[in-house]
Amino acid sequence: MEDYIVRPIGVVRSALKDPADAPKQGALTEQEAEVVVDPALLAALDGLERRMAPAGGAVTGVSPHRNSGKIIVLCWMHGADRDRLRVHPRDREELPERGVFSTRSPHRPNPVSLHTVTLLSIEGNVLRVRGMDAIDGTPVVDIKPHSPELDG
């Protein structure tokens, strides 16, 4: 197979410094973080402010055709073991091992993680988000708008 090169567009800044401290599913937490985008890519953020959650970050009663207040951040889980193909789900040793493609484990051949987060603010090239479980220093490879009618 052909190799591809993925270049980071930014980095996560978070109070989470160790993978052991990270929640298993950030979307289920109030964990806040910053996504610091490479200043050379500032123009790529144009229009993203329309995706920000209302003041306070609470989004309720969103119809499929309205702003959800959410974005999708794709990261490269740089600390992952790319050679592991089987894991115990949720790191619970009492559960039988399964293939990584049937789990949300960061350990996988291409450790791309997907985070649907609430966009709280944008200050220049820094996005403040809620619901991010990536640790400090995690490379960000892409940002996309969340679309409730397409993404569920």
Side-chain angles (χ1 to χ4, degrees):
M1 285 193 178
E2 192 174 340
D3 286 341
Y4 295 91
I5 296 172
V6 176
R7 291 185 179 85
I9 60 146
V11 67
V12 172
R13 291 288 171 232
S14 172
L16 301 171
K17 306 297 182 197
D18 186 297
D21 297 332
K24 291 294 181 199
Q25 294 300 317
L28 303 177
T29 73
E30 296 293 310
Q31 182 69 43
E32 291 188 14
E34 292 179 340
V35 175
V36 182
V37 177
D38 181 337
L41 302 173
L42 190 60
L45 295 175
D46 185 37
L48 195 61
E49 69 282 352
R50 291 182 289 212
R51 297 291 178 164
M52 279 195 312
V59 180
T60 58
V62 176
S63 80
H65 303 290
R66 293 187 51 211
N67 177 12
S68 68
K70 296 184 180 285
I71 59 172
I72 298 170
V73 180
L74 294 129
C75 295
W76 187 264
M77 305 304 279
H78 60 294
D81 179 351
R82 295 182 69 185
D83 294 324
R84 280 177 72 183
L85 300 180
R86 298 180 60 78
V87 297
H88 293 281
R90 297 176 110 13
D91 289 327
R92 293 178 49 196
E93 296 289 325
E94 71 274 14
L95 296 175
E97 283 190 332
R98 295 191 345 213
V100 295
F101 296 150
S102 72
T103 74
R104 291 184 170 260
S105 171
H107 306 296
R108 51 190 56 246
N110 287 314
V112 175
S113 62
L114 182 143
H115 308 267
T116 302
V117 298
T118 301
L119 179 58
L120 302 173
S121 66
I122 303 174
E123 297 285 333
N125 65 320
V126 179
L127 313 180
R128 186 87 184 149
V129 299
R130 180 181 298 132
M132 172 69 80
D133 59 358
I135 62 169
D136 188 62
T138 299
V140 175
V141 296
D142 202 4
I143 299 167
K144 297 181 180 293
H146 176 263
S147 176
E149 66 271 20
L150 301 175
D151 301 321

